[in-house]
Amino acid sequence: MIQGNSLSTKIGKFIIYFIVISLGLVCLLPLWNIVAISFSGGAAVAANVVGLTPVNFSTKAYEMIMEDAQFWRSFFISVQRVALALALNLILIVLMAYPLSKTKREFKSRNIYMNIIIFAMLFSGGLIPTYIVIRNLNLLDTIWVLVLPGAVPIFSVILIMNFFVGVPKSLEEAAIIDGASPLQILFKVYIPVSLPALATVALFSIVGNWNDFMSGLIYMSQVSNYPIMTYIQSLTIDIAELVRSGTSNDALQNIAEVQNRNLNAAKIVISTIPLLLIYPFLQKYFVTGIVVGSVKE
Amino acid sequence: MAVNNEIAPARDRKKDVKKAKLTYHAMLAPGMIFLLIFSFAPMFGIVMAFQDFVPAKGFFGSEFVGLEHFKYMFNLPDIGKVFRNTIVIALGKIIFGSLLAIAFAILLNEIRLKLVKKSVQTIVYLPHFLSWVVLATVVVNLFSLDGTVNQMLNSFGMDRINFLGSNTWFQPLLIGSDVWKEFGFNSVIYLAAIASVDPGLHEAASIDGANWWKRVWHITLPGMLPIILLLAILSLPNVLEGGFDQVYNLYSPIVYETGDTIDTYVYREGLVGRDYSFGAAVGLFRSVIGLILILSANNAAKKFTERKLF
C-alpha cells in the first residue's frame, strides 16, 4: 500500500482513486443510460439526447409492456424454468458430490465415475448431434428442453465435491456410530455445513438459466414457447437492420427503430430486475465459489 | 454371549459398508442417466459427421460417406477464416481481459476507503451477471451510428464510425466489450492472490526505500505469478470459444468477414441451413482440437504450478 504523507504519495493516491472510480463509472453509466432511456419520452429518445436522467419523463414504455401478453408469458416460462432447473440441479449436485467426495478406499468405483464425469465435461458431441438427440426424444418446444440438458452442472458438482472433501471426518464418524445411513449423513451432516457453497452453485444455476437465450433459440420453434431472454433477443437486436438503416438513412425505418429503443430499454430493465434482487446474495457467495472452485481435487 | 457380542457388530459393520456402497451407486445413478442421455448420446451422434444424415432415416439408416464432409470443410475458404476469427477474438479477450483484471486488482487493493472499495466492487462485478442479450443492447446504444460514442466523436469534429458494420472495428469492439463485462469479476481471484502476499515483504522493502511502483513490480506481481500462470494456462482451451452469445447478438452479414466464429458458423450452416452432417463435422473438428488443448493445458499446469484443472 502507499504510505507516507509527502506530496508525491498524495498525488499517487489521488491517481489511483481516480482510475478505480473511473472504471466503476465506465461499468455503471452505460447501464444507467438504459434505465434513463426507458423512462424517457419518445421524442427525446428519437433525438438521442437522453443522458443519465430521463428526458420528458414517461412511463409509457412500461405501460405498453404491461399489455404485452407474450412478454409476460416468456417471463413466467423463465421463472418456471429457473425453479425447475434449480431444484433438479441442487438435488443432482449433492447426490453426486457426496459419493465422489469419498476416497478410493471408501468407495472403490469412485475414480471410474469421476473419469466419466470429467470426460463429459471436456468433450461434447457438439451443437448439431445434441439437437438431433433432443429432437428424437420429442423434447422440442417443451419446457423440459430448457431444464433437462443442463440437469448436471459438472463444474458445480466438482465444486461441491471439493467442499465436501474439506468437511471434518469426525462429524461423519460420529454420525456413523449413531447408526446413520449415507443419505442421513449427507442431509444431516454435510448439507448443513455446506450452505455457503450450496448457495454459490444455486446462484450459478439461477443466473445461468435466467440469462440463457441460446436454448430457446435452438429448441423452440414457436415464439409462444420462448423464455424471456430469447423473446427479448428476437425483438430488440436486429443489427443487420440497424447497420442498414444507418447507411441508407431511411426515415421511416429510423422512426420505428427509435420507438423500439424506448420499449426495448424498458424490457431489458424489467428482465434484469430478478437478477438485481438476488445480486446482494450473489456478491456475498460467489467469491467463496471462485476460491473453492479454483483449487481442484 | 460375550463372544457373540464381539462378532455381531463386526458383521453389522461389514454389512453397513456394503450397503453404503450400494447407496453410493444409487446416489450417482440419476445424474449418470442424465449425462448418458444429454452428453454421451450426442457423442454417439457424432457418427452423423461421417454420414449423409437425414433425420427421417436416423443414425442407423443414413448413408455413410466417410470423410467426405471433412474434405469439403478443408476446401472451403470460409473455414480458415472462421477458425482465424475465433482464435483472434478469443486470444484478444484472454490477454486484454487478464491484463486489465490484474491491473484493476492491484489498484483496488490500494483503496483504503471501505465505502469506495465496496461500491466500486459492487458495480464492476455486475456486468458479469447480465446476459449478452441485455449487454448487446447497451453496446449498440453506445456504438451504433447515432450512438453516444459517435455523438462524442462528432462533437470533437471527427467523422462518425460505423463500429458495428466495419470489419476494422468489429473485432476490437467484441474484445473490448467482453473485457468490459468480465474484468471486474476476473479481478476477484487476483485480489485473493494479492491478499496472500506476505505483508512483511512490503514493510521490509519500504524501509529499504522502495517506492510503490517498485514494490508492485518486485513483490506483488511475483507473488501473484503462480495464479497468473495457472489461469493463463487454464485459459488455453478457451481460444476456440468465440463466445456465441456475444457474437450472435452483435454481428451482421456485413461483418462475417471478421466476426464469424466457429459457433456462429455451425449454428448458421448446420442448424439454420439444415446441413446437419456438415455442421456436426465442423463441431467434431473443433471438439477434438479443444480436447487436445485442454489435456495439454492440464499437463502444463501440473508441470509448472503443481496444480491442475482435473
Side-chain angles (χ1 to χ4, degrees):
Chain A
M1 80 191 76
I2 295 182
Q3 289 141 336
N5 278 316
S6 71
L7 186 65
S8 66
T9 56
K10 269 184 185 158
I11 294 174
K13 272 184 191 173
F14 176 78
I15 293 174
I16 289 175
Y17 271 82
F18 180 77
I19 296 175
V20 167
I21 292 174
S22 304
L23 280 170
L25 290 177
V26 164
C27 286
L28 180 67
L29 297 185
L31 302 175
W32 187 250
N33 179 232
I34 297 284
V35 179
I37 288 177
S38 75
F39 282 108
S40 293
V45 177
N48 217 355
V49 293
V50 181
L52 299 178
T53 48
V55 179
N56 301 334
F57 185 87
S58 146
T59 52
K60 197 160 170 245
Y62 289 93
E63 284 158 28
M64 279 169 82
I65 291 173
M66 288 299 155
E67 286 159 22
D68 182 349
Q70 184 55 46
F71 180 87
W72 294 108
R73 190 185 323 195
S74 291
F75 193 95
F76 285 109
I77 287 174
S78 278
V79 170
Q80 208 184 338
R81 170 204 187 153
V82 166
L84 288 170
L86 180 62
L88 190 61
N89 285 350
L90 282 180
I91 292 170
L92 291 176
I93 288 169
V94 294
L95 282 182
M96 294 180 84
Y98 177 67
L100 292 174
S101 71
K102 299 289 149 204
T103 59
K104 207 185 163 201
R105 195 187 297 167
E106 290 166 308
F107 181 39
K108 221 192 284 170
S109 323
R110 185 248 172 213
N111 285 7
I112 299 170
Y113 281 112
M114 204 57 212
N115 287 334
I116 294 174
I117 287 168
I118 284 174
F119 187 72
M121 182 169 76
L122 300 185
F123 192 75
S124 92
L127 174 68
I128 309 282
T130 308
Y131 172 81
I132 298 292
V133 165
I134 282 171
R135 190 178 133 133
N136 289 346
L137 291 168
N138 286 325
L139 287 174
L140 294 185
D141 277 303
T142 64
I143 179 97
W144 298 108
V145 79
L146 302 175
V147 175
L148 300 183
V152 181
I154 298 175
F155 178 81
S156 298
V157 171
I158 293 177
L159 198 152
I160 295 299
M161 177 193 84
N162 281 325
F163 201 89
F164 282 174
V165 169
V167 173
K169 277 276 163 229
S170 52
L171 288 177
E172 179 167 16
E173 276 156 15
I176 290 176
I177 289 169
D178 289 345
S181 71
L183 262 181
Q184 284 169 324
I185 294 171
L186 171 60
F187 283 95
K188 292 194 173 143
V189 178
Y190 278 76
I191 290 183
V193 299
S194 310
L195 289 181
L198 287 171
T200 308
V201 296
L203 290 163
F204 285 165
S205 164
I206 295 173
V207 173
N209 278 291
W210 185 262
N211 281 342
D212 170 59
F213 82 100
M214 196 183 177
S215 328
L217 179 73
I218 293 168
Y219 301 128
M220 301 302 189
S221 59
Q222 282 153 4
V223 179
S224 59
N225 292 325
Y226 276 0
I228 187 74
M229 286 302 162
T230 313
Y231 174 66
I232 291 181
Q233 200 278 333
S234 73
L235 296 178
T236 54
I237 297 142
D238 196 343
I239 300 291
E241 202 75 349
L242 270 177
V243 171
R244 241 178 287 136
S245 71
T247 46
S248 70
N249 259 335
D250 190 319
L252 270 176
Q253 225 165 19
N254 273 340
I255 291 168
E257 179 210 311
V258 164
Q259 275 179 348
N260 266 335
R261 198 185 286 173
N262 189 6
L263 195 59
N264 291 341
K267 282 187 177 142
I268 279 173
V269 171
I270 296 186
S271 73
T272 307
I273 287 174
L275 284 184
L276 293 182
L277 289 179
I278 62 162
Y279 187 59
F281 304 98
L282 264 176
Q283 229 202 322
K284 192 168 155 199
Y285 289 119
F286 75 77
V287 178
T288 330
I290 294 173
V291 176
V292 175
S294 63
V295 188
K296 294 282 146 53
E297 281 199 69
Chain B
M1 271 308 265
V3 176
N4 270 351
N5 267 348
E6 271 178 359
I7 293 170
R11 252 190 211 152
D12 269 4
R13 211 170 299 145
K14 229 178 187 173
K15 235 195 215 158
D16 278 353
V17 170
K18 215 173 168 186
K19 219 166 135 192
K21 277 181 187 163
L22 264 178
T23 319
Y24 293 158
H25 286 291
M27 286 165 126
L28 282 159
M32 296 314 272
I33 290 170
F34 277 108
L35 288 181
L36 189 69
I37 299 173
F38 295 105
S39 293
F40 290 99
M43 289 184 205
F44 168 77
I46 287 175
V47 294
M48 67 194 282
F50 306 94
Q51 293 176 325
D52 252 341
F53 182 77
V54 180
K57 291 184 186 165
F59 293 120
F60 299 101
S62 297
E63 190 194 341
F64 271 89
V65 294
L67 295 174
E68 206 59 34
H69 297 294
F70 292 91
K71 280 184 200 153
Y72 175 69
M73 175 173 96
F74 289 118
N75 284 324
L76 278 180
D78 280 0
I79 280 297
K81 182 188 80 187
V82 162
F83 271 82
R84 202 169 48 241
N85 288 344
T86 309
I87 291 171
V88 169
I89 293 167
L91 269 183
K93 288 176 181 174
I94 293 169
I95 293 169
F96 292 110
S98 315
L99 288 180
L100 185 60
I102 292 167
F104 178 72
I106 290 173
L107 293 178
L108 191 69
N109 192 51
E110 296 299 326
I111 301 289
R112 288 285 160 267
L113 291 174
K114 272 266 161 59
L115 181 70
V116 175
K117 193 173 182 176
K118 279 264 168 271
S119 321
V120 170
Q121 278 178 306
T122 303
I123 293 164
V124 296
Y125 298 161
L126 180 61
H128 170 79
F129 295 102
L130 301 182
S131 159
W132 267 115
V133 174
V134 169
L135 295 181
T137 308
V138 175
V139 172
V140 169
N141 194 36
L142 285 174
F143 289 96
S144 64
L145 261 186
D146 58 350
T148 315
V149 172
N150 271 319
Q151 283 184 348
M152 280 166 150
L153 287 179
N154 217 18
S155 66
F156 292 132
M158 285 186 266
D159 285 337
R160 289 173 188 258
I161 298 170
N162 193 357
F163 292 100
L164 290 156
S166 146
N167 280 308
T168 318
W169 287 101
F170 193 67
Q171 283 182 353
L173 184 69
L174 288 180
I175 293 168
S177 56
D178 186 77
V179 169
W180 172 79
K181 182 181 195 278
E182 303 293 346
F183 82 89
F185 187 75
N186 290 339
S187 71
V188 173
I189 194 129
Y190 294 118
L191 267 178
I194 294 173
S196 69
V197 175
D198 179 8
L201 290 175
H202 279 283
E203 276 163 34
S206 297
I207 293 168
D208 290 347
N211 63 22
W212 177 71
W213 183 248
K214 276 191 179 147
R215 276 181 281 126
V216 167
W217 194 252
H218 294 292
I219 299 171
T220 314
L221 278 175
M224 293 167 78
L225 201 60
I227 289 285
I228 294 175
L229 202 62
L230 179 73
L231 292 185
I233 292 169
L234 295 184
S235 63
L236 183 66
N238 293 340
V239 297
L240 291 181
E241 301 279 348
F244 178 88
D245 288 16
Q246 181 197 19
V247 178
Y248 183 81
N249 280 303
L250 289 172
Y251 81 160
S252 61
I254 296 174
V255 288
Y256 279 177
E257 191 59 38
T258 54
D260 205 8
T261 59
I262 304 171
D263 294 324
T264 46
Y265 185 75
V266 170
Y267 170 75
R268 267 199 340 271
E269 298 294 320
L271 205 61
V272 180
R274 290 175 194 265
D275 198 346
Y276 295 128
S277 286
F278 175 64
V282 180
L284 174 61
F285 183 63
R286 173 237 162 98
S287 293
V288 169
I289 296 184
L291 185 64
I292 294 170
L293 286 176
I294 291 174
L295 295 178
S296 340
N298 196 43
N299 278 337
K302 239 187 283 184
K303 205 163 158 191
F304 295 121
T305 66
E306 287 159 2
R307 284 209 230 177
K308 51 184 181 148
L309 175 62
F310 46 85

